[in-house]
Amino acid sequence: MKTITQPISRQALLEKANALIKVHDDYFAGMQADDVSQQGNVLVFRGPFFLDADELPTARTTAVFNVFKHLAVVLSSQYHLE
């Protein structure tokens, strides 16, 4: 079974994604999606990952990864980029 998704512009999708980020339980100030691309049927979100001074992951990095994964699951089932 193929899921039918709606076309959406990159800007409109980023606006929806950033609204979802702000209501997510793991949200913290500064977390945002700056870019989105489509890989097959999956939307991939990018933004600041909050690495430490040695460019290693922090607890905030994990939170961003988890929120971006959530965005990919929720929004990929509804939209595809125009």
Side-chain angles (χ1 to χ4, degrees), residues 7-8 12 20 25 28 34-36 43 48 52 58 60 67 71 75 77:
I8 190 170
L20 285 173
D25 289 343
F28 57 85
D34 295 335
D35 191 24
V36 61
L43 296 167
D52 70 9
T58 65
R60 286 184 162 205
V67 172
L71 293 176
L75 296 174
S77 67

Side-chain angles (χ1 to χ4, degrees), residues 50-65:
F50 301 94
L51 302 175
D52 70 9
D54 295 321
E55 296 193 18
L56 296 173
T58 65
R60 286 184 162 205
T61 308
T62 303
V64 170
F65 175 82

Side-chain angles (χ1 to χ4, degrees), residues 11-73:
Q11 185 60 38
L13 184 58
L14 286 172
E15 288 171 13
K16 286 183 180 290
N18 283 308
L20 285 173
I21 287 171
K22 289 181 179 177
V23 298
H24 194 280
D25 289 343
D26 290 340
Y27 172 77
F28 57 85
M31 183 187 293
Q32 67 182 28
D34 295 335
D35 191 24
V36 61
S37 62
Q38 184 147 2
Q39 295 183 3
N41 294 331
V42 178
L43 296 167
V44 179
F45 294 88
R46 292 179 184 83
F49 274 92
F50 301 94
L51 302 175
D52 70 9
D54 295 321
E55 296 193 18
L56 296 173
T58 65
R60 286 184 162 205
T61 308
T62 303
V64 170
F65 175 82
N66 289 335
V67 172
F68 284 7
K69 180 180 173 184
H70 172 74
L71 293 176
V73 170

